[in-house]
Structures are given as structure tokens and as C-alpha cells.
Amino acid sequence: MTLDEFNALSREDAIAVVRPCLDIQRWIEAVVDARPYASAGDLSETAGSVADPFTAEELEAALAHHPRIGERAQGDSKEASLSRNEQSAVDPSDREVQEALAAGNAAYDQKFGRVFLIRAAGRSAQEILAALNERLGNTPEEEDIIVAEQLRQIAVLRLEGAVQA
């Protein structure tokens, strides 16, 4: 969809375009209600800064839509399709990486009580695994900041894919 088409959508239709990018209602409405955008850069900048900071409840709800790194999202929803594409560098047949990711995911869940989240697009499986292991050394407060930033990066990339100049 072009930026002009996005700007011209009804509010409900624009919300439907934005929701798969990041299902945080306050963020969705802020992105949609800031229309019209003069450029794709303006859209990306707005998406990267509105609804800041996310609340703990918003973060937890948004994380519920993300599969563990290395696990393929199931279903035919737009979000599942986006997730599978973003994790395409993680080869499900690479047993060594899969085992390391599974162990890292379990350790992360044990420590932080949630799914490990990283912007996987453009990263190799080894880079993702290294980041996972590094982030296991964070405090919960440090990790909250990183998770919020990763969610924003994912959302902006997804929105840029959905709406182009």
C-alpha cells in the first residue's frame, strides 16, 4: 500500500493495517491519528516515538503475539506470516542452533518470565543466539528497556513493509 493510500483510509481500515505491526492499542491509535504523513520517513519517525514508554501491561500483551526465537509461528494470520519471514535466517534444520536457542529461550523465560524478543530481521542465527546469551546477563530493569526498543524496531520495520512511499 502506498503512503497516499494509507493516509486516505478510514480510521478503522488504517487501524487494521497497523495492528499486525504491534498490537498495542495506544500505539496503533497514535500512529493512525497522526495522519496524514508527508513522507514515509515521517511515518517511521512517528511510529518509533509515540506511546513512549510502553506500560508493563502493554509490553506483556504485545509479547503474547511473538513466538520464541527458533520456533515457527503457526497459523495464517498476518502476524504469523511476518514472524516467519523475520526469523527466516534461523534454519529449523540446524539442530545445533535449535538446541542452543531452546536452552537460551528456557533460561530467558526462567529469569524474566517471558519470551525472548529480538528484531530478528537482518540478523543471522548466530547473531541472535549471541544476543540472547548476552541479554541473559541483564537485570529485569535493563531488559524491560531493551524489550520495548526491540518491539518498536519490529513495529517500524513491519509498518515500513506495509506502507511504502
Side-chain angles (χ1 to χ4, degrees):
M1 157 177 310
T2 69
L3 183 62
D4 289 338
E5 291 168 334
F6 178 69
N7 282 334
L9 290 174
S10 69
R11 187 171 193 271
E12 292 93 22
D13 289 344
I15 286 172
V17 168
V18 175
R19 184 173 307 285
C21 301
L22 177 60
D23 195 4
I24 293 178
Q25 191 64 31
R26 189 168 57 99
W27 178 83
I28 294 166
E29 291 176 356
V31 169
V32 169
D33 292 344
R35 294 176 306 152
Y37 291 100
S39 70
D42 289 344
L43 174 60
S44 295
E45 185 177 323
T46 298
S49 64
V50 296
D52 187 31
F54 295 135
T55 67
E57 294 80 20
E58 289 170 333
L59 286 174
E60 293 310 311
L63 288 173
H65 295 278
H66 289 272
R68 294 183 188 284
I69 292 292
E71 295 177 3
R72 294 292 185 228
Q74 300 301 310
D76 58 0
S77 72
K78 180 70 171 168
E79 287 173 319
S81 175
L82 288 167
S83 180
R84 285 189 297 270
N85 186 49
E86 291 160 355
Q87 289 197 43
S88 63
V90 180
D91 182 356
S93 67
D94 186 336
R95 190 149 182 78
E96 184 178 324
V97 168
Q98 289 299 317
E99 289 173 0
L101 285 172
N105 280 326
Y108 187 92
D109 187 39
Q110 176 77 29
K111 181 171 185 176
F112 297 109
R114 64 177 171 223
V115 66
F116 170 71
L117 182 81
I118 188 166
R119 179 192 46 78
R123 290 189 168 133
S124 71
Q126 293 303 326
E127 289 171 317
I128 293 167
L129 185 55
L132 171 55
N133 289 325
E134 179 181 321
R135 285 173 51 189
L136 283 168
N138 289 341
T139 66
E141 295 78 17
E142 291 169 328
E143 195 59 18
D144 286 348
I145 293 167
I146 293 169
V147 167
E149 178 56 30
Q150 292 299 300
L151 271 173
R152 285 188 184 281
Q153 287 181 22
I154 293 165
V156 169
L157 285 174
R158 287 178 172 185
L159 191 55
E160 288 172 348
V163 180
Q164 298 149 4

